Amino acid sequence: MNYIKLKHLIRKHIEPIRTNGLTDCLTLAEHLGLIVKDSSECLKDFGVEDFPLNKDCHAIYALYKGQHTIYYNENFRYSNYSIATMITWYLSSHYLGEALLPHLERLGAAMIIIPESVLCGEGLAEDIASEYDVPLPVVAEYLNAQRASKSASIVQKIKTLLPISA
């Protein structure tokens, strides 16, 4: 999967249910038919020995008792973002049958939370990260991917309009 394919997947499934330009990922996940459980519910379902959430893993997606479930650490600063990464993973695997590379999972989460219109403005990555509560490196990666995509699109349009002959 590439950035453009991921962007189309997010637009198709997320944009129709986004409200007021903001994305509450708990509500979004539930709207998609996913069960969302916090860390205390995760502990009940997995037990102490198999508890998957830790300092390096803030959310997981699991098929638990036949239900598509996202478990997340509600105390993690970027918990909305963590849920968005699992929604991205779910959309990719469920609708496309493809696993995502980690950088695309991060970009998909940013696409879910940050409306594309925000990227068209003059906002700085720091301001966007703060306003939407997404880690700064992810916002920077998203801005760079968006700019690269637009540049590639412009070049393709120019090539189509002005065919170069040898």
Side-chain angles (χ1 to χ4, degrees):
M1 176 177 301
N2 62 32
Y3 175 80
I4 299 298
K5 196 172 180 181
L6 179 61
K7 187 175 176 177
H8 290 296
L9 179 70
I10 299 296
R11 278 185 179 167
K12 179 178 178 182
H13 295 282
I14 303 303
E15 291 302 323
I17 53 180
R18 186 188 303 261
T19 57
N20 301 325
L22 300 174
T23 305
D24 168 30
C25 291
L26 284 170
T27 304
L28 178 62
E30 290 167 358
H31 187 83
L32 291 168
L34 299 166
I35 305 298
V36 182
K37 296 183 176 188
D38 64 20
S39 58
S40 63
E41 294 172 290
C42 184
L43 184 59
K44 287 177 192 172
D45 290 351
F46 286 91
V48 175
E49 292 291 317
D50 296 320
F51 186 70
L53 301 177
N54 58 50
K55 69 178 182 69
D56 297 319
C57 177
H58 305 288
I60 64 162
Y61 166 83
L63 191 59
Y64 181 75
K65 294 186 178 180
Q67 296 182 316
H68 299 277
T69 306
I70 294 173
Y71 295 94
Y72 75 104
N73 179 350
E74 69 280 5
N75 298 314
F76 179 55
R77 175 180 175 193
Y78 302 112
S79 60
N80 196 50
Y81 166 77
S82 292
I83 295 168
T85 61
M86 295 300 101
I87 291 171
T88 302
W89 191 92
Y90 165 77
L91 290 173
S92 176
S93 63
H94 189 73
Y95 291 102
L96 301 177
E98 296 182 33
L100 286 176
L101 295 172
H103 79 281
L104 289 175
E105 193 174 277
R106 291 188 301 270
L107 286 174
M111 286 179 206
I112 288 171
I113 296 172
I114 305 168
E116 193 172 351
S117 60
V118 171
L119 303 180
C120 298
E122 296 298 318
L124 297 173
E126 293 86 356
D127 297 335
I128 295 169
S130 176
E131 182 175 347
Y132 291 92
D133 212 17
V134 173
L136 179 58
V138 175
V139 173
E141 186 176 13
Y142 184 25
L143 284 167
N144 288 336
Q146 180 72 6
R147 289 178 184 139
S149 174
K150 284 189 184 275
S151 295
S153 176
I154 290 168
V155 168
Q156 186 58 41
K157 286 178 184 175
I158 290 171
K159 285 181 178 179
T160 302
L161 294 173
L162 302 170
I164 299 173
S165 57

